[in-house]
Amino acid sequence: MEETYTPGQIAERLNISTTTLRRYEKQGLIPEVLRTAGHHRIYTKVHYQAFVAIRSLLAGYEIPVVYEVMRKIKAGRVMEALWLINHQLSQVEDEKQRVEELLTMVRHADFRMYKNRKLTNAMTIGKVAELAGVNPSAIRHWEKEGLITSTRHPVSGYRIYSVTELRKILVISSLRRTVYYIENLRELLQDLDMFRLSKIDRSFQVALEKLNEKLRIQYQGIAELMAYIHIQSLV
């Protein structure tokens, strides 16, 4: 006879509430759930592993991604789900390469080139946003916070950014997930202006360590997801 679980048993094992379990069910993330004559939910091994996979994935991926992956698997579109996960992994790799490239630039104090493009002191907000991989709105926000400054084109009135400001934008965009407070960023940017680069070097090292940890957590989520897919295939 197949082992079954009550909502309370799974909630206790995963240290979450039964309300959370019902939310995942309502969102269509797990296989259909049978009910007893008294209308109580009956969870089986496949449901339990689905919940384990969800919780593990949520530790390393954004909620919309996890929900889409689980819905695709429920619909039998397993390969689509796996390619979606693979895309997320490639984004982490891209971010790692970006941080490593910027770390090399910081260590050599060389900001004349970036992504094989020569930098100038008259770059538009669109160009610096493209180079930094952020939205122009983020740059405007950082300028409002006093982290960066721009001049205005004498004819068009558009914002113009120098190489000095671009390197600040690159540092902010790379460290904003690991250096949480505006004041921390201000201090780092002052060090950058004065070419006191040891703290910035360490901040980039921390960013790389966090990316390594994120990758480990993501693969742990993938392991639980693959276990769920395997169990589901046996049902």
Side-chain angles (χ1 to χ4, degrees):
M1 183 176 180
E2 184 177 10
E3 184 177 5
T4 61
Y5 308 86
T6 67
Q9 287 172 327
I10 293 182
E12 183 178 2
R13 287 193 181 192
L14 300 183
N15 195 29
I16 56 178
S17 67
T18 55
T19 301
T20 299
L21 297 180
R22 288 194 296 271
R23 182 171 71 249
Y24 294 156
E25 182 182 342
K26 184 178 180 180
Q27 290 291 331
L29 310 186
I30 65 172
E32 297 301 323
V33 180
L34 297 177
R35 305 295 181 103
T36 66
H39 205 62
H40 298 297
R41 289 173 172 82
I42 303 175
Y43 291 135
T44 63
K45 185 177 181 180
V46 69
H47 297 109
Y48 175 71
Q49 186 58 40
F51 287 128
V52 170
I54 292 169
R55 298 303 295 179
S56 187
L57 288 170
L58 286 172
Y61 300 89
E62 295 180 357
I63 292 174
V65 173
V66 175
Y67 281 24
E68 185 175 357
V69 165
M70 296 302 294
R71 289 185 184 122
K72 285 181 181 298
I73 292 174
K74 181 180 178 181
R77 294 150 59 189
V78 173
M79 293 311 302
E80 290 182 25
L82 295 181
W83 278 114
L84 178 56
I85 287 291
N86 185 71
H87 177 65
Q88 297 297 309
L89 292 174
S90 69
Q91 289 182 329
V92 175
E93 183 177 4
D94 289 344
E95 181 64 16
K96 178 177 179 288
Q97 291 175 348
R98 164 193 168 84
V99 170
E100 288 176 335
E101 184 176 355
L102 285 171
L103 179 57
T104 298
M105 291 174 65
V106 167
R107 285 175 172 172
H108 291 84
D110 185 356
F111 292 91
R112 293 171 298 176
M113 298 283 295
Y114 183 62
K115 292 185 176 180
N116 295 319
R117 295 172 65 176
K118 185 177 180 180
L119 307 180
T120 72
N121 286 317
M123 292 175 286
T124 64
I125 191 171
K127 181 174 181 178
V128 295
E130 179 187 355
L131 288 169
V134 298
N135 292 322
S137 59
I139 295 175
R140 286 191 287 267
H141 172 69
W142 298 333
E143 188 168 345
K144 183 179 179 181
E145 292 289 342
L147 298 177
I148 57 176
T149 58
S150 66
T151 58
R152 294 284 179 168
H153 191 279
V155 177
S156 66
Y158 292 153
R159 287 179 170 88
I160 296 296
Y161 297 88
S162 65
V163 172
T164 298
E165 297 308 309
L166 172 62
R167 68 185 183 186
K168 291 180 183 178
I169 292 168
L170 291 171
V171 168
I172 296 168
S173 64
S174 294
L175 300 181
R176 68 190 188 278
R177 292 187 179 92
T178 55
V179 183
Y180 299 101
Y181 301 108
I182 292 294
E183 289 307 317
N184 295 135
L185 285 170
R186 284 200 179 97
E187 183 178 343
L188 281 176
L189 295 178
Q190 289 173 1
D191 289 338
L192 183 63
D193 278 338
M194 300 299 294
F195 284 90
R196 298 191 298 260
L197 304 180
S198 60
K199 288 184 181 178
I200 296 176
D201 188 298
R202 177 54 189 157
S203 295
F204 275 101
Q205 290 289 351
V206 170
L208 287 173
E209 290 168 6
K210 286 184 175 291
L211 285 171
N212 288 338
E213 177 63 11
K214 181 176 182 178
L215 185 65
R216 186 193 66 77
I217 292 172
Q218 286 183 327
Y219 268 102
Q220 186 173 348
I222 290 173
E224 297 294 355
L225 181 68
M226 295 306 295
Y228 166 53
I229 292 171
H230 175 69
I231 293 173
Q232 190 184 50
S233 70
L234 301 176
V235 175

